[in-house]
Amino acid sequence: GLGDVYKRQVYVINMCNKDDIATAKAYQDYVFGLKTGMIDGEVEYMQWTDDTPVEGVQGNAQKIDDSNFSLTLPVRSITYFQFYLQ
């Protein structure tokens, strides 16, 4: 059989007031690491910023290995990740 596979859903928020946008920080290729488990398949994301359409933009994060992935987190963004652990 396939064994146990667990779905994970994570939101990452990088937010500030619009008045503070000049000093806000974006996180380029920010690396997320799992302490336990292995990622099974792709890490899908949906991301919203001030510049995206209301439905957001979607794609796959950069998978580094079975327990690490990265994605840029722009200023004033909300990012939703979905992936499976085995």
Side-chain angles (χ1 to χ4, degrees):
L2 293 173
D4 292 326
V5 177
Y6 302 96
K7 184 177 187 177
R8 291 289 179 259
Q9 298 171 301
V10 180
Y11 282 90
V12 179
I13 300 171
N14 183 21
M15 193 56 60
C16 69
N17 191 299
K18 268 195 168 169
D19 296 340
D20 301 326
I21 203 162
T23 56
K25 180 168 172 38
Y27 296 88
Q28 189 71 30
D29 299 323
Y30 191 86
V31 176
F32 297 88
L34 304 177
K35 286 191 191 290
T36 60
M38 290 176 19
I39 299 167
D40 185 19
E42 295 295 334
V43 177
E44 299 175 356
Y45 74 88
M46 186 166 291
Q47 190 172 69
W48 296 268
T49 69
D50 290 333
D51 302 322
T52 60
V54 69
E55 59 271 13
V57 294
Q58 56 187 17
N60 291 334
Q62 177 66 44
K63 199 165 153 185
I64 298 165
D65 56 33
D66 285 341
S67 56
N68 295 277
F69 61 92
S70 72
L71 188 70
T72 295
L73 304 173
V75 170
R76 291 181 51 83
S77 63
I78 299 173
T79 307
Y80 164 80
F81 292 106
Q82 176 179 292
F83 55 93
Y84 293 89
L85 289 184
Q86 61 181 12

